Amino acid sequence: MSDLSKLTIAAARDKLRAKEITAVELTDACLTEVEGAAALNAFVHHTPEVAREQAGNADRRIAMGMSPDLCGIPLGIKDLFCTKGVASQAASGILDGFKPEYESTVTSQLFKDGAVMLGKLNMDEFAMGSSNETSVYGDAVNPWKVDDRALTPGGSSGGSASAVAAGLCLGATGTDTGGSIRQPAAFTGITGIKPTYGRVSRWGVVAFASSLDQAGPMTKDVRDAAIMLTCMSGHDAKDSTSADIPVPDFEAALTGDIKGKKIGIPREYRMEGMPAEIETLWSQGQEMLRDAGAAIVDISLPHTKYALPAYYVIAPAEASSNLARYDGVRFGHRAKLAAGDGITEMYEKTRAEGFGAEVQRRVMVGTYVLSAGFYDAYYNRARKVRTLIKQDFETVFADGIDSILTPATPSAAFGLGEMVDADPIQMYLNDVFTVTVNLAGLPGISVPAGYDSKGLPLGLQLIGRPWEEGDLLNTAYALERSVQFDGKPTRWW
């Protein structure tokens, strides 16, 4: 039974339809794995009763021959997604006890297709972090290990990455504001795709930076990512940024044929101090795509060096605005007040107690750059830089480039606690290869492509044209087939 949880979504779907297994059996196998993996701290709210009820309903649909691709598939849901009647805290103390009366659009679509929710997954508080160390639930832990040292699974979707890599669930939802799907995917040896901004509804997803946030799937391979993304995508009238364009069958796009495709290699991503093993992996990825029939073309994205500072002005500014709603008045945590305290004291104490240090830091930075006298110097200038970065991509795509290959991260997973007391900028540098994709609103995918000298997984990133997730997934599929990465963490938890 425990082997069932190791199945891919595609393999489990086929076994379910062939009546070789039942959704209840598959769900029970995953629940057993979840219960035995407390050391990973990936799942923070368990919903076994909900899961078994959904699995039973899925079995009945399958018996009737009416089963969408995700029918009966056990998933983990990042704590950023609102789930009706189930705690949805964004890993923050300020949302303690919050159980929404509504369902996010993404989870509604997953459940409509018969997916099974095993529970809610750990994350960085309000998705602010690159190591899953800012969570009110404590650190999520990477199932990969070296020298008995606990490693980060990355962030902010660290619980999602850890759960998928450890085989606790067949897939998971994640969100990506500056790399929060792709970086943890790379750190844990799984696949994660951030779709084009507007491809997946943000309604019911707790907001961090509204012009950057985008939900996407985290899975064991590219085919599973295509299956989940097809279900998650689509126009939503409740989200004004949701695009009203058709959703293709992304799985059907996976032919593996990339002959004649032009793959761009941006010279600006060869950064000073890049580890040799990252450079080697990148070169190997280029050779694999060339061998598959693609043309490798050197390109320039000249404003890349400004992406990280622009991102860390825009994202905190939007967070400052979005997080103003958490004040202890209507829901979540409310501080105990002393005699004589008024509403201002309630706001101050509630926010001081409810928000963690990293969230407070970003709210203060965001408030500062939006304040009178600094708005033009920081926020407006960052927006202009963002436009230039977007234009860089538009230029190379107009020149015939189909997708762009880069490293996913500047290193393999680092140890938990290693950067807690470091300069915050050192942590922010984990996003150096990923933030441009969010600033430009493009799709990007991380695919496991090799190992570092200690045997930890490393990922490569492919960046695609807007709305061309099918083509991007197919290129990633060709890379995946060439790499043949089959690494699994050795069980220690």
Side-chain angles (χ1 to χ4, degrees), residues 335-452:
K336 293 183 178 178
L337 303 181
D341 282 348
I343 193 166
T344 300
E345 288 77 17
M346 186 193 76
Y347 290 162
E348 291 173 349
K349 290 181 179 180
T350 295
R351 292 165 66 81
E353 293 174 7
F355 289 143
E358 181 61 28
V359 172
Q360 292 185 28
R361 176 186 289 121
R362 297 199 195 193
V363 167
M364 287 189 289
V365 168
T367 303
Y368 178 80
V369 301
L370 290 175
S371 61
F374 298 103
Y375 185 92
D376 285 330
Y378 291 102
Y379 183 64
N380 255 350
R381 182 173 294 184
R383 290 172 61 207
K384 292 174 182 177
V385 169
R386 179 181 189 171
T387 299
L388 294 174
I389 290 168
K390 187 172 184 288
Q391 289 172 350
D392 286 347
F393 284 105
E394 290 171 348
T395 298
V396 298
F397 288 137
D399 287 341
I401 295 298
D402 294 290
S403 56
I404 298 166
L405 180 72
T406 79
T409 59
S411 70
F414 50 88
L416 287 167
E418 283 186 12
M419 293 196 184
V420 169
D421 297 321
D423 182 341
I425 292 174
Q426 295 303 309
M427 184 73 81
Y428 299 163
L429 287 171
N430 275 282
D431 302 330
V432 67
F433 297 126
T434 53
V435 295
T436 54
V437 177
N438 299 81
L439 289 169
L442 299 172
I445 186 170
S446 175
V447 179
Y451 304 89
D452 76 347

Side-chain angles (χ1 to χ4, degrees), residues 244-401:
D244 189 5
I245 60 175
V247 178
D249 181 345
F250 294 123
E251 186 183 9
L254 304 182
T255 65
D257 182 5
I258 59 169
K259 291 182 177 65
K261 296 291 185 182
K262 291 184 178 181
I263 310 298
I265 309 298
R267 63 177 65 99
E268 289 81 8
Y269 281 60
R270 290 188 173 91
M271 297 184 175
E272 185 178 348
M274 179 187 287
E277 55 199 11
I278 299 290
E279 182 75 47
T280 299
L281 183 78
W282 194 11
S283 296
Q284 290 171 345
Q286 295 171 44
E287 288 304 312
M288 289 176 184
L289 292 173
R290 183 182 283 114
D291 290 345
I296 304 301
V297 182
D298 288 330
I299 62 171
S300 177
L301 299 169
H303 295 95
T304 294
K305 63 182 178 181
Y306 304 116
L308 209 61
Y311 173 84
Y312 278 102
V313 170
I314 293 170
E318 295 185 12
S320 171
S321 175
N322 278 325
L323 270 60
R325 72 193 68 178
Y326 304 112
D327 52 18
V329 175
R330 297 189 63 184
F331 50 83
H333 175 73
R334 178 184 294 184
K336 293 183 178 178
L337 303 181
D341 282 348
I343 193 166
T344 300
E345 288 77 17
M346 186 193 76
Y347 290 162
E348 291 173 349
K349 290 181 179 180
T350 295
R351 292 165 66 81
E353 293 174 7
F355 289 143
E358 181 61 28
V359 172
Q360 292 185 28
R361 176 186 289 121
R362 297 199 195 193
V363 167
M364 287 189 289
V365 168
T367 303
Y368 178 80
V369 301
L370 290 175
S371 61
F374 298 103
Y375 185 92
D376 285 330
Y378 291 102
Y379 183 64
N380 255 350
R381 182 173 294 184
R383 290 172 61 207
K384 292 174 182 177
V385 169
R386 179 181 189 171
T387 299
L388 294 174
I389 290 168
K390 187 172 184 288
Q391 289 172 350
D392 286 347
F393 284 105
E394 290 171 348
T395 298
V396 298
F397 288 137
D399 287 341
I401 295 298

Side-chain angles (χ1 to χ4, degrees), residues 3-60:
D3 290 340
L4 294 181
S5 68
K6 307 302 186 288
L7 293 171
T8 62
I9 290 173
R13 171 194 63 187
D14 295 344
K15 287 181 178 292
L16 286 164
R17 288 176 174 173
K19 311 296 194 300
E20 294 176 20
I21 60 174
T22 68
V24 170
E25 289 172 343
L26 181 60
T27 297
D28 282 340
C30 289
L31 289 172
T32 298
E33 292 298 310
V34 171
E35 290 167 7
L40 297 178
N41 198 29
F43 278 88
V44 292
H45 298 293
H46 299 253
T47 57
E49 297 85 3
V50 172
R52 290 191 176 100
E53 180 181 353
Q54 290 175 332
N57 292 336
D59 278 330
R60 286 185 281 276

Side-chain angles (χ1 to χ4, degrees), residues 198-217:
R199 172 68 84 180
V200 177
S201 173
R202 294 183 301 108
W203 195 86
V205 181
V206 178
F208 164 12
S210 298
S211 74
L212 301 165
D213 298 341
Q214 188 63 186

Side-chain angles (χ1 to χ4, degrees), residues 105 109 201 203 234-244:
T105 297
Q109 291 178 184
S201 173
W203 195 86
H235 176 62
D236 180 11
K238 297 191 292 291
D239 176 5
S240 62
T241 63
S242 174
D244 189 5

